[in-house]
Amino acid sequence: MTGTVRSEAGAEEVTGLAWLDHEWSSEILDDRAVGWDWIGLNLDDGSALMAFRIRAADGTTLWAGGGLARPDGTSRRFTEREVRFTPARLWTSPRTGARYPVAMRVEIPALALDLSPLLDDQELDSRASVGTVYWEGAVTATAAGRPVGRGYLELTGYWRKLRL
């Protein structure tokens, strides 16, 4: 991305990497669901991975899926049985007391990724707008201990059941 940051002190040109996250809808969610875990990753080989799971209160997966887009234009969708999220490390918010699995292992066919947050505290308190608190932030992805990409992890329903 490129742009200009303007303030009372003047303007400064900036360049860097950016992430655009646009949620199309959260209106239909199973009554048993408390929230979801979602990733969007740009892999170093030029592929893009999106995967998610909808969680029940006991932590089990109610529904999961995803897709992998390759640089050559081919893609693959993943079924519920092909996507697995396994929490690897928890972080507790000092503000809300919510416990988030900020480090996560995500497995799809032929690929196991370990996600690590750039920093643990990426909790968003949006009670004044959408009425909830969740964790949403930048992560790095490794496979077999070597860096393979970076992206975004979203964790909802860990503070309280997500109400839409």
Side-chain angles (χ1 to χ4, degrees), residues 58-97:
D58 65 1
T60 58
T61 299
L62 295 171
W63 187 38
L68 179 68
R70 299 246 181 234
D72 66 4
T74 61
S75 63
R76 165 97 194 279
R77 286 188 185 177
F78 301 110
T79 67
E80 179 177 340
R81 288 185 288 275
E82 294 177 305
V83 176
R84 184 178 316 150
F85 282 74
T86 306
R89 183 173 61 80
L90 297 173
W91 171 78
T92 302
S93 167
R95 291 172 305 284
T96 64

Side-chain angles (χ1 to χ4, degrees), residues 47-132:
S47 300
L49 172 66
M50 185 282 298
F52 70 93
R53 73 175 181 137
I54 307 295
R55 289 184 336 278
D58 65 1
T60 58
T61 299
L62 295 171
W63 187 38
L68 179 68
R70 299 246 181 234
D72 66 4
T74 61
S75 63
R76 165 97 194 279
R77 286 188 185 177
F78 301 110
T79 67
E80 179 177 340
R81 288 185 288 275
E82 294 177 305
V83 176
R84 184 178 316 150
F85 282 74
T86 306
R89 183 173 61 80
L90 297 173
W91 171 78
T92 302
S93 167
R95 291 172 305 284
T96 64
R99 292 174 48 91
Y100 301 97
V102 297
M104 185 83 71
R105 174 164 262 236
V106 177
E107 295 172 274
I108 58 171
L111 186 60
L113 298 171
D114 293 305
L115 307 180
S116 299
L118 295 188
L119 61 141
D120 286 356
D121 192 348
Q122 297 183 73
E123 183 182 54
L124 298 170
D125 186 340
S126 59
R127 286 178 277 190
S129 59
V130 296
T132 194

